[in-house]
Amino acid sequence: MGGRNFGSLVPLTPEIVSRNLTPDKTGRPIGGRSFAEFVQIIRTGVDLDHLHPNCAASTASHPCFGPTQPFNGDLLQVMPWPIFQSFEEHDLKAIYEYLKAIPCIAGPETGVLHNDCT
Ligand code: HEM
């Protein structure tokens, strides 16, 4: 259900933590993402949850990458999407269907790892 903390890419930048990919109460995995959204995430690396944007695009309450950091905060870090992005659509479908078939795990009561099961 995610939650592995990979630490910061460089000091004083957001910690990179894997996400809770289990289905939510809608039955769709990755906390309710459609297959089209999943394909978009894997093909482009976009972080649709915007958890660690570059500072200019962030609100003060979000951790963010500073303007001098060489990271695109709109993209998933650590996650090996550049390897997965060339998967055939039917392989992505198989992964999506697997993630859809596992039970919802609520995770912590609050925070980004929380998933709404009911
Ligand atoms: C088939 C295998 C994998 C799938 C289907 C997968 C899928 C995903 C998806 C869909 C997200 C974005 C979640 C969201 O938008 O809510 C994500 C994020 C992430 N994944 Fe993966 N992942 C896989 C393998 C891995 C591996 C092998 C690693 C690390 C070694 C990894 C590390 C991460 C991390 C750290 C994030 C969050 C990145 C960030 O916050 O910038 N994933 N993964």
Side-chain angles (χ1 to χ4, degrees):
M1 63 134 265
R4 178 166 300 255
N5 190 331
F6 290 87
S8 298
L9 300 175
V10 297
L12 302 177
T13 59
E15 291 184 336
I16 304 301
V17 181
S18 62
R19 312 280 173 91
N20 186 347
L21 303 181
T22 64
D24 70 357
K25 62 184 174 189
T26 68
R28 291 193 302 260
I30 315 150
R33 294 285 177 206
S34 67
F35 179 60
E37 287 171 323
F38 175 65
V39 170
Q40 182 192 8
I41 292 167
I42 299 295
R43 296 248 188 266
T44 69
V46 66
D47 180 4
L48 296 178
D49 296 322
H50 306 290
L51 290 195
H52 45 56
N54 291 96
C55 288
S58 79
T59 66
S61 63
H62 280 92
C64 58
F65 288 106
T68 60
Q69 297 296 340
F71 304 111
N72 183 345
D74 294 332
L75 300 182
L76 297 168
Q77 309 294 322
V78 179
M79 163 70 191
W81 60 266
I83 310 233
F84 300 157
Q85 69 181 170
S86 54
F87 282 9
E88 302 281 357
E89 184 157 318
H90 63 255
D91 291 322
L92 295 180
K93 186 75 180 165
I95 295 168
Y96 184 84
E97 289 300 321
Y98 166 76
L99 290 172
K100 205 161 101 177
I102 60 179
C104 178
I105 298 175
E109 273 178 37
T110 56
V112 295
L113 289 175
H114 177 72
N115 198 18
D116 201 357
C117 293
T118 50

